[in-house]
């Protein structure tokens, strides 16, 4: 009889029968299977590595987020408004003053002190007292407007409204600059703040007189 030997693909050993070879493969080369098993075990390990990476990324995002929140809260005052910055120091390159009167149904509304001066900086438009003097103190020569001052103040001003007072037929809203009524069609928000301007915003019933000028402190 011809010896029909069969060889092992793994180690090259030859066997008398296929059954023998199969036995050999099972008993001798189980390491192959074990490796496969190990590989199979490694797979979920790799997934868990990915999981760790995802968790780490999530933690990083959370940390960055909380830092950003902290930074935003701490530096909220530094946000620009209408392109107007808020600097830790008062700016002196451009320093002029205008005066603002707000007359609601004949009664003067006090413009508060510290408008545009949050805890840690100075907006280029601000007030230092209740005189109605608006300080324009900017790092460059530039036109600034009444609307910008109201935006920094956080109050509403349009041609139809000041604060919560809405203009109507019986409650007109007019603005006077140095005693001259601003013509219809002019956007009140665009009124330029010039040095020593006296700006009077008049809502509702007319006062007996509208201020035409303001006596600024000497040297200001
Ligand atoms: Zn100032
Ligand atoms: Zn000033």
């Amino acid at each position: 009889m011809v010896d029909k030997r069969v060889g092992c693909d793994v180690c090259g050993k030859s066997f008398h029968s296929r059954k023998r070879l199969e036995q050999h493969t099972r008993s001798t080369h189980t390491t192959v299977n074990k490796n496969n098993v190990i590989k199979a075990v490694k797979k979920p390990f790799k997934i868990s590595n990915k999981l760790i990476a995802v968790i780490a990324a999530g933690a990083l995002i959370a940390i960055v987020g909380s830092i950003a929140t902290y930074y935003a809260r701490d530096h909220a005052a530094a946000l620009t408004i209408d392109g107007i910055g808020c600097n830790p120091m008062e700016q002196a390159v451009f320093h002029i003053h205008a005066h603002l009167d707000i007359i609601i149904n004949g009664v003067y509304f006090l413009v508060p002190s510290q408008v545009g001066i949050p805890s840690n900086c100075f907006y280029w438009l601000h007030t230092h007292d209740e005189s109605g003097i608006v300080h324009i103190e900017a790092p460059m020569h530039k036109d600034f407007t009444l609307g910008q001052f109201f935006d920094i103040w956080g109050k509403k001003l349009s041609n139809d409204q000041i604060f919560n007072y809405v203009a109507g037929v019986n409650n007109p809203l007019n603005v006077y600059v140095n005693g001259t009524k601003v013509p219809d069609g002019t956007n009140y928000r665009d009124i330029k703040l010039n040095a020593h301007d006296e700006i009077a915003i008049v809502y509702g019933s007319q006062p007996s007189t509208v201020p035409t000028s303001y006596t600024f402190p000497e040297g200001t």
Side-chain angles (χ1 to χ4, degrees):
M1 252 181 89
V2 181
D3 192 5
K4 279 188 174 177
R5 285 173 162 257
V6 283
C8 173
D9 288 331
V10 181
C11 66
K13 266 187 180 177
S14 57
F15 298 92
H16 292 287
S17 69
R18 191 154 288 279
K19 200 180 176 188
R20 275 269 177 179
L21 172 62
E22 280 168 11
Q23 279 172 352
H24 156 79
T25 305
R26 258 202 303 279
S27 61
T28 314
H29 300 304
T30 45
T31 46
V32 174
N33 293 335
K34 271 180 187 168
N35 281 344
N36 283 342
V37 169
I38 288 162
K39 271 187 183 174
V41 171
K42 268 186 179 175
K43 241 185 178 175
F45 189 71
K46 273 184 184 170
I47 289 165
S48 73
N49 274 349
K50 273 183 192 168
L51 208 71
I52 287 163
V54 168
I55 290 163
L60 190 69
I61 288 164
I63 290 163
V64 168
S66 60
I67 288 168
T69 305
Y70 172 80
Y71 188 86
R73 196 185 301 133
D74 199 44
H75 295 77
L79 294 174
T80 59
I81 297 174
D82 299 346
I84 294 169
C86 199
N87 302 87
M89 305 269 290
E90 294 208 81
Q91 303 299 301
V93 172
F94 184 46
H95 190 177
I96 60 169
H97 303 98
H99 187 261
L100 178 61
D101 280 311
I102 298 170
I103 308 166
I104 308 282
N105 292 320
V107 179
Y108 279 74
F109 181 95
L110 213 60
V111 178
S113 179
Q114 307 298 304
V115 169
I117 308 178
S119 60
N120 57 352
C121 62
F122 298 83
Y123 279 102
W124 304 338
L125 307 183
H126 57 252
T127 65
H128 283 291
D129 52 35
E130 296 177 340
S131 65
I133 295 174
V134 175
H135 295 248
I136 295 104
E137 299 172 20
M140 80 291 273
H141 288 259
K142 200 181 168 188
D143 288 348
F144 294 102
T145 67
L146 194 57
Q148 288 174 324
F149 178 73
F150 271 76
D151 287 346
I152 288 169
W153 189 4
K155 300 290 183 188
K156 174 83 181 172
L157 177 69
S158 70
N159 283 43
D160 303 317
Q161 191 177 342
I162 177 164
F163 308 144
N164 292 324
Y165 300 96
V166 178
V169 180
N170 299 321
N171 297 300
L173 177 59
N174 293 308
V175 179
Y176 299 79
V177 177
N178 301 319
T180 303
K181 189 174 170 296
V182 171
D184 292 339
T186 305
N187 188 335
Y188 296 159
R189 295 180 53 80
D190 294 339
I191 293 169
K192 191 185 157 194
L193 304 174
N194 297 299
H196 291 185
D197 270 354
E198 161 58 37
I199 298 169
I201 301 173
V202 179
Y203 172 87
S205 58
Q206 287 288 301
S208 51
T209 56
V210 172
T212 58
S213 67
Y214 181 79
T215 305
F216 288 83
E218 212 172 307
T220 66

